Amino acid sequence: MAEIQFARGVAEEVIPDVRLTRAKDGSDGTATFYFEEPKALMEEGFEVTGLYLVDEEGEIISREVNAKFINGAPAALEARLLMKSVAEWDRFMRFMNRYAEENGLGLTKN
């Protein structure tokens, strides 16, 4: 089980575009998630409390979540996860491998 949540216990159904950057020495990295019309924004009264990446190892949490509105209507969510060590990067990659496997995703390098 690997899922992304914006409130604990509520899985987000929209698959994000994920962009990764990492320092050449591997000391830190960033994952930026972009969700186009996520369920979390479309449901009335839903409160986004953070980004939660949940799998059998536990949770990875980020509070850096921003909503994008177009003409006053919710359009997207962008979340950023900062990883400050090789261990945090490795943990994130294990989550992403599980998430990708469950959702039929692949990796492309730009």
Side-chain angles (χ1 to χ4, degrees), residues 60-82:
I60 302 170
I61 302 169
S62 174
R63 300 288 183 212
E64 285 194 50
V65 181
N66 295 301
K68 180 180 178 182
F69 292 82
I70 298 175
N71 295 326
L77 281 175
E78 184 176 277
R80 179 175 290 162
L81 176 67
L82 302 175

Side-chain angles (χ1 to χ4, degrees), residues 2-77:
E3 62 187 27
I4 298 175
Q5 304 172 355
F6 288 108
R8 283 198 166 93
V10 182
E12 177 57 57
E13 296 169 2
V14 172
I15 306 297
D17 177 39
V18 183
R19 299 183 187 269
L20 302 174
T21 59
R22 190 173 188 193
K24 287 186 188 275
D25 66 0
S27 61
D28 62 3
T30 304
T32 303
F33 296 80
Y34 191 79
F35 296 82
E36 194 79 40
E37 296 185 5
K39 181 179 87 171
L41 275 186
M42 301 302 137
E43 289 186 9
E44 186 82 23
F46 189 91
E47 184 177 343
V48 173
T49 59
L51 174 73
Y52 305 93
L53 310 179
V54 183
D55 64 10
E56 58 261 24
E57 289 185 55
E59 283 184 337
I60 302 170
I61 302 169
S62 174
R63 300 288 183 212
E64 285 194 50
V65 181
N66 295 301
K68 180 180 178 182
F69 292 82
I70 298 175
N71 295 326
L77 281 175

